[in-house]
Amino acid sequence: MRFSTKALLRAAALVVAASSLGGCSFLGLNFGMAQLSEKECLMRAMYFESNRSSAEGMLAVGTVVMNRKADSRYPQNVCGVVGQKNQFAEGVLTRKMTDSGAVLASQMADEVLRGNRHPGVQNAQHFHTAGLRFPYNNMHYVLEAGGNEFYEKY
């Protein structure tokens, strides 16, 4: 069977367009985050946001994700929470996880999805890089873990 150059170019353009959507992959090409499971989204948030630092840091990030999921102001599913614009690390749902931290993130995601939470996070729904402090009077810091400071807003 022979394909015309035009047909091959169309097919290549389709593959490039589909791969730019990000998320799940087939043959190394990405085809949209709608295909990611709750575990994959949670795992990615914990992996990238905790800088793969520790189980404690990953558990704390996972707890924030679940705290947001339980709040009606946020999406009611893990992928919706993690995928919210400007809330988590850029590319959190599309970048490659390249080291052994992915194994720990997978284990910790299982723990969080089974109901395990970091007790120090309490009801916090926010965090930022440790070492930064913001003097706003509508926030209360509750924990430092995994290179992040976790806080509640009132």
mmCIF file with all atom_site columns, all heavy atoms in Angstrom, residues 33 37-39 41 64-84 88 113 117 125:
data_model
loop_
_atom_site.group_PDB
_atom_site.id
_atom_site.type_symbol
_atom_site.label_atom_id
_atom_site.label_alt_id
_atom_site.label_comp_id
_atom_site.label_asym_id
_atom_site.label_entity_id
_atom_site.label_seq_id
_atom_site.pdbx_PDB_ins_code
_atom_site.Cartn_x
_atom_site.Cartn_y
_atom_site.Cartn_z
_atom_site.occupancy
_atom_site.B_iso_or_equiv
_atom_site.pdbx_formal_charge
_atom_site.auth_seq_id
_atom_site.auth_comp_id
_atom_site.auth_asym_id
_atom_site.auth_atom_id
_atom_site.pdbx_PDB_model_num
ATOM 1   N N   . MET A 1 33  ? -4.961  15.130 29.115 1.00 0.00 ? 33  MET A N   1
ATOM 2   C CA  . MET A 1 33  ? -4.972  14.785 30.526 1.00 0.00 ? 33  MET A CA  1
ATOM 3   C C   . MET A 1 33  ? -6.259  14.119 30.957 1.00 0.00 ? 33  MET A C   1
ATOM 4   O O   . MET A 1 33  ? -6.324  13.544 32.028 1.00 0.00 ? 33  MET A O   1
ATOM 5   C CB  . MET A 1 33  ? -4.687  16.010 31.381 1.00 0.00 ? 33  MET A CB  1
ATOM 6   C CG  . MET A 1 33  ? -5.822  16.921 31.601 1.00 0.00 ? 33  MET A CG  1
ATOM 7   S SD  . MET A 1 33  ? -5.329  18.171 32.781 1.00 0.00 ? 33  MET A SD  1
ATOM 8   C CE  . MET A 1 33  ? -6.916  18.826 33.159 1.00 0.00 ? 33  MET A CE  1
ATOM 9   N N   . SER A 1 37  ? -5.487  8.997  35.478 1.00 0.00 ? 37  SER A N   1
ATOM 10  C CA  . SER A 1 37  ? -6.283  8.543  36.617 1.00 0.00 ? 37  SER A CA  1
ATOM 11  C C   . SER A 1 37  ? -6.081  9.501  37.789 1.00 0.00 ? 37  SER A C   1
ATOM 12  O O   . SER A 1 37  ? -5.137  10.299 37.803 1.00 0.00 ? 37  SER A O   1
ATOM 13  C CB  . SER A 1 37  ? -5.850  7.130  37.026 1.00 0.00 ? 37  SER A CB  1
ATOM 14  O OG  . SER A 1 37  ? -4.548  7.159  37.598 1.00 0.00 ? 37  SER A OG  1
ATOM 15  N N   . GLU A 1 38  ? -6.953  9.385  38.778 1.00 0.00 ? 38  GLU A N   1
ATOM 16  C CA  . GLU A 1 38  ? -6.812  10.200 39.989 1.00 0.00 ? 38  GLU A CA  1
ATOM 17  C C   . GLU A 1 38  ? -5.437  9.952  40.627 1.00 0.00 ? 38  GLU A C   1
ATOM 18  O O   . GLU A 1 38  ? -4.780  10.877 41.072 1.00 0.00 ? 38  GLU A O   1
ATOM 19  C CB  . GLU A 1 38  ? -7.916  9.846  40.993 1.00 0.00 ? 38  GLU A CB  1
ATOM 20  C CG  . GLU A 1 38  ? -9.310  10.154 40.480 1.00 0.00 ? 38  GLU A CG  1
ATOM 21  C CD  . GLU A 1 38  ? -9.862  11.425 41.060 1.00 0.00 ? 38  GLU A CD  1
ATOM 22  O OE1 . GLU A 1 38  ? -10.000 11.527 42.286 1.00 0.00 ? 38  GLU A OE1 1
ATOM 23  O OE2 . GLU A 1 38  ? -10.171 12.329 40.264 1.00 0.00 ? 38  GLU A OE2 1
ATOM 24  N N   . LYS A 1 39  ? -5.017  8.693  40.645 1.00 0.00 ? 39  LYS A N   1
ATOM 25  C CA  . LYS A 1 39  ? -3.719  8.365  41.229 1.00 0.00 ? 39  LYS A CA  1
ATOM 26  C C   . LYS A 1 39  ? -2.594  9.042  40.454 1.00 0.00 ? 39  LYS A C   1
ATOM 27  O O   . LYS A 1 39  ? -1.672  9.599  41.054 1.00 0.00 ? 39  LYS A O   1
ATOM 28  C CB  . LYS A 1 39  ? -3.491  6.857  41.248 1.00 0.00 ? 39  LYS A CB  1
ATOM 29  C CG  . LYS A 1 39  ? -2.124  6.496  41.810 1.00 0.00 ? 39  LYS A CG  1
ATOM 30  C CD  . LYS A 1 39  ? -1.850  5.026  41.808 1.00 0.00 ? 39  LYS A CD  1
ATOM 31  C CE  . LYS A 1 39  ? -0.421  4.765  42.285 1.00 0.00 ? 39  LYS A CE  1
ATOM 32  N NZ  . LYS A 1 39  ? -0.112  3.340  42.318 1.00 0.00 ? 39  LYS A NZ  1
ATOM 33  N N   . CYS A 1 41  ? -2.661  11.785 38.653 1.00 0.00 ? 41  CYS A N   1
ATOM 34  C CA  . CYS A 1 41  ? -2.667  13.235 38.900 1.00 0.00 ? 41  CYS A CA  1
ATOM 35  C C   . CYS A 1 41  ? -2.107  13.553 40.279 1.00 0.00 ? 41  CYS A C   1
ATOM 36  O O   . CYS A 1 41  ? -1.294  14.469 40.434 1.00 0.00 ? 41  CYS A O   1
ATOM 37  C CB  . CYS A 1 41  ? -4.083  13.787 38.746 1.00 0.00 ? 41  CYS A CB  1
ATOM 38  S SG  . CYS A 1 41  ? -4.707  13.736 37.048 1.00 0.00 ? 41  CYS A SG  1
ATOM 39  N N   . VAL A 1 64  ? -2.971  18.439 50.976 1.00 0.00 ? 64  VAL A N   1
ATOM 40  C CA  . VAL A 1 64  ? -3.508  19.704 50.472 1.00 0.00 ? 64  VAL A CA  1
ATOM 41  C C   . VAL A 1 64  ? -4.444  19.446 49.279 1.00 0.00 ? 64  VAL A C   1
ATOM 42  O O   . VAL A 1 64  ? -5.525  20.014 49.197 1.00 0.00 ? 64  VAL A O   1
ATOM 43  C CB  . VAL A 1 64  ? -2.380  20.681 50.082 1.00 0.00 ? 64  VAL A CB  1
ATOM 44  C CG1 . VAL A 1 64  ? -2.904  21.825 49.221 1.00 0.00 ? 64  VAL A CG1 1
ATOM 45  C CG2 . VAL A 1 64  ? -1.708  21.223 51.326 1.00 0.00 ? 64  VAL A CG2 1
ATOM 46  N N   . VAL A 1 65  ? -4.017  18.579 48.379 1.00 0.00 ? 65  VAL A N   1
ATOM 47  C CA  . VAL A 1 65  ? -4.866  18.258 47.218 1.00 0.00 ? 65  VAL A CA  1
ATOM 48  C C   . VAL A 1 65  ? -6.214  17.717 47.692 1.00 0.00 ? 65  VAL A C   1
ATOM 49  O O   . VAL A 1 65  ? -7.275  18.151 47.224 1.00 0.00 ? 65  VAL A O   1
ATOM 50  C CB  . VAL A 1 65  ? -4.175  17.253 46.274 1.00 0.00 ? 65  VAL A CB  1
ATOM 51  C CG1 . VAL A 1 65  ? -5.141  16.751 45.207 1.00 0.00 ? 65  VAL A CG1 1
ATOM 52  C CG2 . VAL A 1 65  ? -2.938  17.881 45.626 1.00 0.00 ? 65  VAL A CG2 1
ATOM 53  N N   . MET A 1 66  ? -6.191  16.807 48.649 1.00 0.00 ? 66  MET A N   1
ATOM 54  C CA  . MET A 1 66  ? -7.439  16.210 49.135 1.00 0.00 ? 66  MET A CA  1
ATOM 55  C C   . MET A 1 66  ? -8.265  17.227 49.934 1.00 0.00 ? 66  MET A C   1
ATOM 56  O O   . MET A 1 66  ? -9.503  17.201 49.865 1.00 0.00 ? 66  MET A O   1
ATOM 57  C CB  . MET A 1 66  ? -7.143  14.963 49.961 1.00 0.00 ? 66  MET A CB  1
ATOM 58  C CG  . MET A 1 66  ? -6.416  13.878 49.168 1.00 0.00 ? 66  MET A CG  1
ATOM 59  S SD  . MET A 1 66  ? -7.128  13.493 47.545 1.00 0.00 ? 66  MET A SD  1
ATOM 60  C CE  . MET A 1 66  ? -8.388  12.340 48.042 1.00 0.00 ? 66  MET A CE  1
ATOM 61  N N   . ASN A 1 67  ? -7.609  18.139 50.658 1.00 0.00 ? 67  ASN A N   1
ATOM 62  C CA  . ASN A 1 67  ? -8.341  19.194 51.360 1.00 0.00 ? 67  ASN A CA  1
ATOM 63  C C   . ASN A 1 67  ? -9.081  20.077 50.362 1.00 0.00 ? 67  ASN A C   1
ATOM 64  O O   . ASN A 1 67  ? -10.225 20.478 50.591 1.00 0.00 ? 67  ASN A O   1
ATOM 65  C CB  . ASN A 1 67  ? -7.394  20.055 52.202 1.00 0.00 ? 67  ASN A CB  1
ATOM 66  C CG  . ASN A 1 67  ? -6.932  19.366 53.471 1.00 0.00 ? 67  ASN A CG  1
ATOM 67  O OD1 . ASN A 1 67  ? -7.437  18.316 53.847 1.00 0.00 ? 67  ASN A OD1 1
ATOM 68  N ND2 . ASN A 1 67  ? -5.938  19.950 54.119 1.00 0.00 ? 67  ASN A ND2 1
ATOM 69  N N   . ARG A 1 68  ? -8.442  20.389 49.256 1.00 0.00 ? 68  ARG A N   1
ATOM 70  C CA  . ARG A 1 68  ? -9.097  21.195 48.226 1.00 0.00 ? 68  ARG A CA  1
ATOM 71  C C   . ARG A 1 68  ? -10.244 20.430 47.586 1.00 0.00 ? 68  ARG A C   1
ATOM 72  O O   . ARG A 1 68  ? -11.306 20.978 47.339 1.00 0.00 ? 68  ARG A O   1
ATOM 73  C CB  . ARG A 1 68  ? -8.098  21.616 47.156 1.00 0.00 ? 68  ARG A CB  1
ATOM 74  C CG  . ARG A 1 68  ? -7.148  22.694 47.610 1.00 0.00 ? 68  ARG A CG  1
ATOM 75  C CD  . ARG A 1 68  ? -6.263  23.123 46.481 1.00 0.00 ? 68  ARG A CD  1
ATOM 76  N NE  . ARG A 1 68  ? -5.384  24.203 46.900 1.00 0.00 ? 68  ARG A NE  1
ATOM 77  C CZ  . ARG A 1 68  ? -4.772  25.008 46.053 1.00 0.00 ? 68  ARG A CZ  1
ATOM 78  N NH1 . ARG A 1 68  ? -4.923  24.868 44.756 1.00 0.00 ? 68  ARG A NH1 1
ATOM 79  N NH2 . ARG A 1 68  ? -3.988  25.963 46.505 1.00 0.00 ? 68  ARG A NH2 1
ATOM 80  N N   . LYS A 1 69  ? -10.023 19.172 47.297 1.00 0.00 ? 69  LYS A N   1
ATOM 81  C CA  . LYS A 1 69  ? -11.068 18.342 46.668 1.00 0.00 ? 69  LYS A CA  1
ATOM 82  C C   . LYS A 1 69  ? -12.329 18.307 47.539 1.00 0.00 ? 69  LYS A C   1
ATOM 83  O O   . LYS A 1 69  ? -13.448 18.288 47.028 1.00 0.00 ? 69  LYS A O   1
ATOM 84  C CB  . LYS A 1 69  ? -10.536 16.926 46.442 1.00 0.00 ? 69  LYS A CB  1
ATOM 85  C CG  . LYS A 1 69  ? -11.534 16.001 45.800 1.00 0.00 ? 69  LYS A CG  1
ATOM 86  C CD  . LYS A 1 69  ? -10.958 14.603 45.663 1.00 0.00 ? 69  LYS A CD  1
ATOM 87  C CE  . LYS A 1 69  ? -12.041 13.686 45.187 1.00 0.00 ? 69  LYS A CE  1
ATOM 88  N NZ  . LYS A 1 69  ? -12.214 12.515 45.978 1.00 0.00 ? 69  LYS A NZ  1
ATOM 89  N N   . ALA A 1 70  ? -12.155 18.325 48.834 1.00 0.00 ? 70  ALA A N   1
ATOM 90  C CA  . ALA A 1 70  ? -13.285 18.261 49.767 1.00 0.00 ? 70  ALA A CA  1
ATOM 91  C C   . ALA A 1 70  ? -14.000 19.605 49.922 1.00 0.00 ? 70  ALA A C   1
ATOM 92  O O   . ALA A 1 70  ? -15.062 19.676 50.529 1.00 0.00 ? 70  ALA A O   1
ATOM 93  C CB  . ALA A 1 70  ? -12.803 17.778 51.131 1.00 0.00 ? 70  ALA A CB  1
ATOM 94  N N   . ASP A 1 71  ? -13.442 20.671 49.379 1.00 0.00 ? 71  ASP A N   1
ATOM 95  C CA  . ASP A 1 71  ? -13.997 22.018 49.497 1.00 0.00 ? 71  ASP A CA  1
ATOM 96  C C   . ASP A 1 71  ? -14.756 22.364 48.210 1.00 0.00 ? 71  ASP A C   1
ATOM 97  O O   . ASP A 1 71  ? -14.204 22.257 47.117 1.00 0.00 ? 71  ASP A O   1
ATOM 98  C CB  . ASP A 1 71  ? -12.841 22.996 49.717 1.00 0.00 ? 71  ASP A CB  1
ATOM 99  C CG  . ASP A 1 71  ? -13.301 24.416 50.005 1.00 0.00 ? 71  ASP A CG  1
ATOM 100 O OD1 . ASP A 1 71  ? -14.307 24.873 49.418 1.00 0.00 ? 71  ASP A OD1 1
ATOM 101 O OD2 . ASP A 1 71  ? -12.616 25.090 50.801 1.00 0.00 ? 71  ASP A OD2 1
ATOM 102 N N   . SER A 1 72  ? -15.988 22.811 48.351 1.00 0.00 ? 72  SER A N   1
ATOM 103 C CA  . SER A 1 72  ? -16.829 23.101 47.176 1.00 0.00 ? 72  SER A CA  1
ATOM 104 C C   . SER A 1 72  ? -16.299 24.242 46.302 1.00 0.00 ? 72  SER A C   1
ATOM 105 O O   . SER A 1 72  ? -16.748 24.408 45.172 1.00 0.00 ? 72  SER A O   1
ATOM 106 C CB  . SER A 1 72  ? -18.262 23.407 47.619 1.00 0.00 ? 72  SER A CB  1
ATOM 107 O OG  . SER A 1 72  ? -18.280 24.564 48.431 1.00 0.00 ? 72  SER A OG  1
ATOM 108 N N   . ARG A 1 73  ? -15.331 25.001 46.798 1.00 0.00 ? 73  ARG A N   1
ATOM 109 C CA  . ARG A 1 73  ? -14.755 26.085 45.987 1.00 0.00 ? 73  ARG A CA  1
ATOM 110 C C   . ARG A 1 73  ? -13.779 25.567 44.933 1.00 0.00 ? 73  ARG A C   1
ATOM 111 O O   . ARG A 1 73  ? -13.359 26.305 44.055 1.00 0.00 ? 73  ARG A O   1
ATOM 112 C CB  . ARG A 1 73  ? -14.043 27.102 46.880 1.00 0.00 ? 73  ARG A CB  1
ATOM 113 C CG  . ARG A 1 73  ? -14.992 27.842 47.814 1.00 0.00 ? 73  ARG A CG  1
ATOM 114 C CD  . ARG A 1 73  ? -14.242 28.732 48.746 1.00 0.00 ? 73  ARG A CD  1
ATOM 115 N NE  . ARG A 1 73  ? -13.437 27.894 49.657 1.00 0.00 ? 73  ARG A NE  1
ATOM 116 C CZ  . ARG A 1 73  ? -12.607 28.361 50.566 1.00 0.00 ? 73  ARG A CZ  1
ATOM 117 N NH1 . ARG A 1 73  ? -12.428 29.655 50.702 1.00 0.00 ? 73  ARG A NH1 1
ATOM 118 N NH2 . ARG A 1 73  ? -11.932 27.541 51.340 1.00 0.00 ? 73  ARG A NH2 1
ATOM 119 N N   . TYR A 1 74  ? -13.398 24.312 45.049 1.00 0.00 ? 74  TYR A N   1
ATOM 120 C CA  . TYR A 1 74  ? -12.431 23.706 44.140 1.00 0.00 ? 74  TYR A CA  1
ATOM 121 C C   . TYR A 1 74  ? -13.105 22.580 43.359 1.00 0.00 ? 74  TYR A C   1
ATOM 122 O O   . TYR A 1 74  ? -14.167 22.086 43.750 1.00 0.00 ? 74  TYR A O   1
ATOM 123 C CB  . TYR A 1 74  ? -11.239 23.142 44.934 1.00 0.00 ? 74  TYR A CB  1
ATOM 124 C CG  . TYR A 1 74  ? -10.430 24.218 45.600 1.00 0.00 ? 74  TYR A CG  1
ATOM 125 C CD1 . TYR A 1 74  ? -10.678 24.580 46.927 1.00 0.00 ? 74  TYR A CD1 1
ATOM 126 C CD2 . TYR A 1 74  ? -9.423  24.882 44.913 1.00 0.00 ? 74  TYR A CD2 1
ATOM 127 C CE1 . TYR A 1 74  ? -9.935  25.575 47.543 1.00 0.00 ? 74  TYR A CE1 1
ATOM 128 C CE2 . TYR A 1 74  ? -8.678  25.885 45.526 1.00 0.00 ? 74  TYR A CE2 1
ATOM 129 C CZ  . TYR A 1 74  ? -8.939  26.222 46.832 1.00 0.00 ? 74  TYR A CZ  1
ATOM 130 O OH  . TYR A 1 74  ? -8.207  27.209 47.441 1.00 0.00 ? 74  TYR A OH  1
ATOM 131 N N   . PRO A 1 75  ? -12.460 22.121 42.282 1.00 0.00 ? 75  PRO A N   1
ATOM 132 C CA  . PRO A 1 75  ? -13.003 20.967 41.552 1.00 0.00 ? 75  PRO A CA  1
ATOM 133 C C   . PRO A 1 75  ? -13.171 19.771 42.491 1.00 0.00 ? 75  PRO A C   1
ATOM 134 O O   . PRO A 1 75  ? -12.422 19.637 43.472 1.00 0.00 ? 75  PRO A O   1
ATOM 135 C CB  . PRO A 1 75  ? -11.945 20.691 40.483 1.00 0.00 ? 75  PRO A CB  1
ATOM 136 C CG  . PRO A 1 75  ? -11.284 22.015 40.260 1.00 0.00 ? 75  PRO A CG  1
ATOM 137 C CD  . PRO A 1 75  ? -11.255 22.660 41.624 1.00 0.00 ? 75  PRO A CD  1
ATOM 138 N N   . GLN A 1 76  ? -14.109 18.916 42.192 1.00 0.00 ? 76  GLN A N   1
ATOM 139 C CA  . GLN A 1 76  ? -14.429 17.803 43.080 1.00 0.00 ? 76  GLN A CA  1
ATOM 140 C C   . GLN A 1 76  ? -13.718 16.508 42.702 1.00 0.00 ? 76  GLN A C   1
ATOM 141 O O   . GLN A 1 76  ? -14.139 15.422 43.119 1.00 0.00 ? 76  GLN A O   1
ATOM 142 C CB  . GLN A 1 76  ? -15.950 17.596 43.104 1.00 0.00 ? 76  GLN A CB  1
ATOM 143 C CG  . GLN A 1 76  ? -16.699 18.819 43.602 1.00 0.00 ? 76  GLN A CG  1
ATOM 144 C CD  . GLN A 1 76  ? -16.276 19.248 44.998 1.00 0.00 ? 76  GLN A CD  1
ATOM 145 O OE1 . GLN A 1 76  ? -16.540 18.556 45.963 1.00 0.00 ? 76  GLN A OE1 1
ATOM 146 N NE2 . GLN A 1 76  ? -15.594 20.385 45.109 1.00 0.00 ? 76  GLN A NE2 1
ATOM 147 N N   . ASN A 1 77  ? -12.643 16.618 41.921 1.00 0.00 ? 77  ASN A N   1
ATOM 148 C CA  . ASN A 1 77  ? -11.836 15.439 41.610 1.00 0.00 ? 77  ASN A CA  1
ATOM 149 C C   . ASN A 1 77  ? -10.361 15.842 41.631 1.00 0.00 ? 77  ASN A C   1
ATOM 150 O O   . ASN A 1 77  ? -10.019 17.013 41.468 1.00 0.00 ? 77  ASN A O   1
ATOM 151 C CB  . ASN A 1 77  ? -12.243 14.822 40.269 1.00 0.00 ? 77  ASN A CB  1
ATOM 152 C CG  . ASN A 1 77  ? -12.033 15.777 39.121 1.00 0.00 ? 77  ASN A CG  1
ATOM 153 O OD1 . ASN A 1 77  ? -10.904 16.031 38.719 1.00 0.00 ? 77  ASN A OD1 1
ATOM 154 N ND2 . ASN A 1 77  ? -13.120 16.322 38.593 1.00 0.00 ? 77  ASN A ND2 1
ATOM 155 N N   . VAL A 1 78  ? -9.514  14.861 41.855 1.00 0.00 ? 78  VAL A N   1
ATOM 156 C CA  . VAL A 1 78  ? -8.079  15.125 42.023 1.00 0.00 ? 78  VAL A CA  1
ATOM 157 C C   . VAL A 1 78  ? -7.477  15.780 40.784 1.00 0.00 ? 78  VAL A C   1
ATOM 158 O O   . VAL A 1 78  ? -6.744  16.766 40.885 1.00 0.00 ? 78  VAL A O   1
ATOM 159 C CB  . VAL A 1 78  ? -7.326  13.813 42.374 1.00 0.00 ? 78  VAL A CB  1
ATOM 160 C CG1 . VAL A 1 78  ? -5.817  14.027 42.347 1.00 0.00 ? 78  VAL A CG1 1
ATOM 161 C CG2 . VAL A 1 78  ? -7.768  13.291 43.729 1.00 0.00 ? 78  VAL A CG2 1
ATOM 162 N N   . CYS A 1 79  ? -7.783  15.251 39.599 1.00 0.00 ? 79  CYS A N   1
ATOM 163 C CA  . CYS A 1 79  ? -7.186  15.820 38.379 1.00 0.00 ? 79  CYS A CA  1
ATOM 164 C C   . CYS A 1 79  ? -7.647  17.254 38.157 1.00 0.00 ? 79  CYS A C   1
ATOM 165 O O   . CYS A 1 79  ? -6.869  18.096 37.696 1.00 0.00 ? 79  CYS A O   1
ATOM 166 C CB  . CYS A 1 79  ? -7.507  14.944 37.175 1.00 0.00 ? 79  CYS A CB  1
ATOM 167 S SG  . CYS A 1 79  ? -6.667  13.339 37.239 1.00 0.00 ? 79  CYS A SG  1
ATOM 168 N N   . GLY A 1 80  ? -8.888  17.560 38.513 1.00 0.00 ? 80  GLY A N   1
ATOM 169 C CA  . GLY A 1 80  ? -9.385  18.927 38.398 1.00 0.00 ? 80  GLY A CA  1
ATOM 170 C C   . GLY A 1 80  ? -8.644  19.867 39.327 1.00 0.00 ? 80  GLY A C   1
ATOM 171 O O   . GLY A 1 80  ? -8.284  20.985 38.944 1.00 0.00 ? 80  GLY A O   1
ATOM 172 N N   . VAL A 1 81  ? -8.399  19.428 40.553 1.00 0.00 ? 81  VAL A N   1
ATOM 173 C CA  . VAL A 1 81  ? -7.661  20.245 41.517 1.00 0.00 ? 81  VAL A CA  1
ATOM 174 C C   . VAL A 1 81  ? -6.227  20.468 41.038 1.00 0.00 ? 81  VAL A C   1
ATOM 175 O O   . VAL A 1 81  ? -5.740  21.598 40.982 1.00 0.00 ? 81  VAL A O   1
ATOM 176 C CB  . VAL A 1 81  ? -7.660  19.583 42.921 1.00 0.00 ? 81  VAL A CB  1
ATOM 177 C CG1 . VAL A 1 81  ? -6.665  20.264 43.852 1.00 0.00 ? 81  VAL A CG1 1
ATOM 178 C CG2 . VAL A 1 81  ? -9.051  19.606 43.530 1.00 0.00 ? 81  VAL A CG2 1
ATOM 179 N N   . VAL A 1 82  ? -5.557  19.403 40.668 1.00 0.00 ? 82  VAL A N   1
ATOM 180 C CA  . VAL A 1 82  ? -4.155  19.495 40.261 1.00 0.00 ? 82  VAL A CA  1
ATOM 181 C C   . VAL A 1 82  ? -4.011  20.277 38.953 1.00 0.00 ? 82  VAL A C   1
ATOM 182 O O   . VAL A 1 82  ? -3.033  20.997 38.755 1.00 0.00 ? 82  VAL A O   1
ATOM 183 C CB  . VAL A 1 82  ? -3.526  18.086 40.131 1.00 0.00 ? 82  VAL A CB  1
ATOM 184 C CG1 . VAL A 1 82  ? -2.116  18.162 39.567 1.00 0.00 ? 82  VAL A CG1 1
ATOM 185 C CG2 . VAL A 1 82  ? -3.529  17.386 41.487 1.00 0.00 ? 82  VAL A CG2 1
ATOM 186 N N   . GLY A 1 83  ? -5.009  20.180 38.082 1.00 0.00 ? 83  GLY A N   1
ATOM 187 C CA  . GLY A 1 83  ? -4.932  20.845 36.792 1.00 0.00 ? 83  GLY A CA  1
ATOM 188 C C   . GLY A 1 83  ? -5.378  22.294 36.787 1.00 0.00 ? 83  GLY A C   1
ATOM 189 O O   . GLY A 1 83  ? -5.315  22.953 35.745 1.00 0.00 ? 83  GLY A O   1
ATOM 190 N N   . GLN A 1 84  ? -5.823  22.827 37.926 1.00 0.00 ? 84  GLN A N   1
ATOM 191 C CA  . GLN A 1 84  ? -6.258  24.225 37.968 1.00 0.00 ? 84  GLN A CA  1
ATOM 192 C C   . GLN A 1 84  ? -5.110  25.151 37.587 1.00 0.00 ? 84  GLN A C   1
ATOM 193 O O   . GLN A 1 84  ? -3.991  25.013 38.085 1.00 0.00 ? 84  GLN A O   1
ATOM 194 C CB  . GLN A 1 84  ? -6.752  24.611 39.359 1.00 0.00 ? 84  GLN A CB  1
ATOM 195 C CG  . GLN A 1 84  ? -8.191  24.281 39.586 1.00 0.00 ? 84  GLN A CG  1
ATOM 196 C CD  . GLN A 1 84  ? -8.699  24.996 40.817 1.00 0.00 ? 84  GLN A CD  1
ATOM 197 O OE1 . GLN A 1 84  ? -8.188  24.816 41.911 1.00 0.00 ? 84  GLN A OE1 1
ATOM 198 N NE2 . GLN A 1 84  ? -9.705  25.813 40.621 1.00 0.00 ? 84  GLN A NE2 1
ATOM 199 N N   . PHE A 1 88  ? -0.597  24.787 40.725 1.00 0.00 ? 88  PHE A N   1
ATOM 200 C CA  . PHE A 1 88  ? 0.491   23.846 40.959 1.00 0.00 ? 88  PHE A CA  1
ATOM 201 C C   . PHE A 1 88  ? 1.584   24.103 39.933 1.00 0.00 ? 88  PHE A C   1
ATOM 202 O O   . PHE A 1 88  ? 1.420   24.929 39.037 1.00 0.00 ? 88  PHE A O   1
ATOM 203 C CB  . PHE A 1 88  ? -0.026  22.397 40.896 1.00 0.00 ? 88  PHE A CB  1
ATOM 204 C CG  . PHE A 1 88  ? -0.901  22.045 42.069 1.00 0.00 ? 88  PHE A CG  1
ATOM 205 C CD1 . PHE A 1 88  ? -2.266  22.259 42.015 1.00 0.00 ? 88  PHE A CD1 1
ATOM 206 C CD2 . PHE A 1 88  ? -0.356  21.536 43.236 1.00 0.00 ? 88  PHE A CD2 1
ATOM 207 C CE1 . PHE A 1 88  ? -3.076  21.964 43.104 1.00 0.00 ? 88  PHE A CE1 1
ATOM 208 C CE2 . PHE A 1 88  ? -1.155  21.237 44.329 1.00 0.00 ? 88  PHE A CE2 1
ATOM 209 C CZ  . PHE A 1 88  ? -2.516  21.452 44.262 1.00 0.00 ? 88  PHE A CZ  1
ATOM 210 N N   . LEU A 1 113 ? -4.804  8.098  48.776 1.00 0.00 ? 113 LEU A N   1
ATOM 211 C CA  . LEU A 1 113 ? -6.098  7.635  48.251 1.00 0.00 ? 113 LEU A CA  1
ATOM 212 C C   . LEU A 1 113 ? -6.771  6.634  49.180 1.00 0.00 ? 113 LEU A C   1
ATOM 213 O O   . LEU A 1 113 ? -7.986  6.473  49.144 1.00 0.00 ? 113 LEU A O   1
ATOM 214 C CB  . LEU A 1 113 ? -5.927  7.055  46.845 1.00 0.00 ? 113 LEU A CB  1
ATOM 215 C CG  . LEU A 1 113 ? -5.567  8.104  45.790 1.00 0.00 ? 113 LEU A CG  1
ATOM 216 C CD1 . LEU A 1 113 ? -5.209  7.438  44.469 1.00 0.00 ? 113 LEU A CD1 1
ATOM 217 C CD2 . LEU A 1 113 ? -6.698  9.111  45.607 1.00 0.00 ? 113 LEU A CD2 1
ATOM 218 N N   . ARG A 1 117 ? -3.467  10.945 55.791 1.00 0.00 ? 117 ARG A N   1
ATOM 219 C CA  . ARG A 1 117 ? -3.228  12.381 55.679 1.00 0.00 ? 117 ARG A CA  1
ATOM 220 C C   . ARG A 1 117 ? -2.090  12.775 56.607 1.00 0.00 ? 117 ARG A C   1
ATOM 221 O O   . ARG A 1 117 ? -1.859  12.139 57.632 1.00 0.00 ? 117 ARG A O   1
ATOM 222 C CB  . ARG A 1 117 ? -4.482  13.191 56.078 1.00 0.00 ? 117 ARG A CB  1
ATOM 223 C CG  . ARG A 1 117 ? -5.727  12.878 55.268 1.00 0.00 ? 117 ARG A CG  1
ATOM 224 C CD  . ARG A 1 117 ? -5.619  13.379 53.833 1.00 0.00 ? 117 ARG A CD  1
ATOM 225 N NE  . ARG A 1 117 ? -6.843  13.160 53.102 1.00 0.00 ? 117 ARG A NE  1
ATOM 226 C CZ  . ARG A 1 117 ? -7.096  12.091 52.350 1.00 0.00 ? 117 ARG A CZ  1
ATOM 227 N NH1 . ARG A 1 117 ? -6.213  11.111 52.245 1.00 0.00 ? 117 ARG A NH1 1
ATOM 228 N NH2 . ARG A 1 117 ? -8.235  11.973 51.695 1.00 0.00 ? 117 ARG A NH2 1
ATOM 229 N N   . GLN A 1 125 ? -4.923  24.444 52.705 1.00 0.00 ? 125 GLN A N   1
ATOM 230 C CA  . GLN A 1 125 ? -5.186  24.223 51.282 1.00 0.00 ? 125 GLN A CA  1
ATOM 231 C C   . GLN A 1 125 ? -4.161  24.941 50.417 1.00 0.00 ? 125 GLN A C   1
ATOM 232 O O   . GLN A 1 125 ? -4.315  25.014 49.206 1.00 0.00 ? 125 GLN A O   1
ATOM 233 C CB  . GLN A 1 125 ? -6.585  24.727 50.927 1.00 0.00 ? 125 GLN A CB  1
ATOM 234 C CG  . GLN A 1 125 ? -7.680  23.955 51.617 1.00 0.00 ? 125 GLN A CG  1
ATOM 235 C CD  . GLN A 1 125 ? -9.060  24.489 51.268 1.00 0.00 ? 125 GLN A CD  1
ATOM 236 O OE1 . GLN A 1 125 ? -9.217  25.596 50.758 1.00 0.00 ? 125 GLN A OE1 1
ATOM 237 N NE2 . GLN A 1 125 ? -10.061 23.685 51.553 1.00 0.00 ? 125 GLN A NE2 1
#
